């Protein structure tokens, strides 16, 4: 028995994404909560929930859900990246680096891995490691240079980014 026909699922997930993008968290939650129990466990639904929790600064709950996402979709980057980010926001930056390093090796092919590693390393005062990781992220995706110029975590490296 399919409690959410495919078109209803698509409509709800697109609506939740739209509400999320414009900061209407309550409406996004309402759309996600209307999905079937089976749909609630889909990686894309879990990640949408995490994104909303992150935007609400609900770091602990987002961390728990991110870890769950990493378990159910270990080859996808979302659970690993979000777990590390939540740890960092909780002031557990050393653990954030450990979380990144525990991710599947394929994640090291992603600019976001190196960018976040650079941010966390910089916050911990590991400037040389941060610089190297940042350069790797730029090599993979040049757009990260724009983010880096205003990222508070990378403030010690800002003079080098002008």
């Amino acid at each position: 028995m399919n409690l959410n026909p495919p078109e209803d699922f698509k409509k709800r997930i697109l609506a939740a994404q739209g509400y999320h993008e414009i900061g209407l968290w309550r409406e996004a939650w309402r759309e996600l909560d209307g999905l079937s129990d089976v749909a609630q466990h889909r990686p894309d639904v879990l990640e949408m929930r995490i994104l909303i929790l992150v935007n609400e600064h609900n770091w602990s709950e987002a961390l728990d859900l991110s870890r769950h996402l990493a378990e159910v979709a270990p080859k996808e980057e979302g659970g690993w990246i979000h777990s590390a980010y939540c740890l960092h926001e909780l002031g557990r930056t050393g653990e954030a680096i450990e979380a990144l390093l525990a991710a599947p090796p394929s994640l090291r092919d992603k600019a976001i891995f190196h960018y976040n590693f650079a941010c966390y390393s910089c916050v911990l005062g590991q400037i040389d490691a941060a610089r190297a990781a940042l350069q790797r992220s730029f090599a993979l995706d040049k757009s990260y240079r724009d983010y880096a110029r205003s990222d508070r975590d990378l403030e010690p490296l800002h003079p080098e980014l002008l």
Side-chain angles (χ1 to χ4, degrees):
M1 177 166 118
N2 187 355
L3 299 177
N4 280 109
E7 57 278 353
D8 184 49
F9 174 82
K10 289 177 188 173
K11 178 184 160 207
R12 285 191 175 276
I13 198 77
L14 285 172
Q17 288 170 341
Y19 286 133
H20 168 259
E21 288 174 10
I22 59 174
L24 297 174
W25 319 127
R26 189 175 306 141
E27 290 79 359
W29 284 121
R30 189 172 39 247
E31 292 297 335
L32 294 176
D33 290 343
L35 294 170
S36 71
D37 289 341
V38 172
Q40 295 296 336
H41 300 286
R42 288 176 49 126
D44 51 349
V45 174
L46 294 173
E47 187 153 17
M48 179 56 56
R49 288 183 174 282
I50 293 164
L51 292 172
I52 297 167
L53 289 167
V54 164
N55 282 293
E56 292 177 332
H57 297 177
N58 187 339
W59 306 118
S60 294
E61 194 172 335
L63 175 59
D64 291 343
L65 202 53
S66 297
R67 287 177 167 163
H68 177 65
L69 178 58
E71 289 174 14
V72 299
K75 293 182 181 181
E76 299 297 321
E77 66 190 56
W80 303 100
I81 294 295
H82 297 311
S83 291
Y85 182 70
C86 291
L87 286 165
H88 173 62
E89 290 298 321
L90 287 166
R92 298 162 55 187
T93 304
E95 290 177 65
I97 287 180
E98 291 173 17
L100 281 179
L101 295 175
S106 61
L107 191 58
R108 288 170 181 78
D109 295 334
K110 307 282 185 180
I112 186 106
F113 172 90
H114 298 283
Y115 184 84
N116 286 4
F117 189 88
C119 289
Y120 308 154
S121 296
C122 200
V123 166
L124 293 174
Q126 301 165 355
I127 303 302
D128 290 337
R131 185 180 294 113
L134 202 55
Q135 292 306 317
R136 179 75 176 127
S137 75
F138 298 162
L140 292 167
D141 185 340
K142 291 176 182 23
S143 70
Y144 279 89
R145 183 176 294 277
D146 293 332
Y147 300 126
R149 288 183 178 123
S150 61
D151 194 320
R152 289 189 340 237
D153 289 339
L154 298 170
E155 200 168 305
L157 295 174
H158 284 173
E160 299 174 30
L161 299 172
L162 298 176

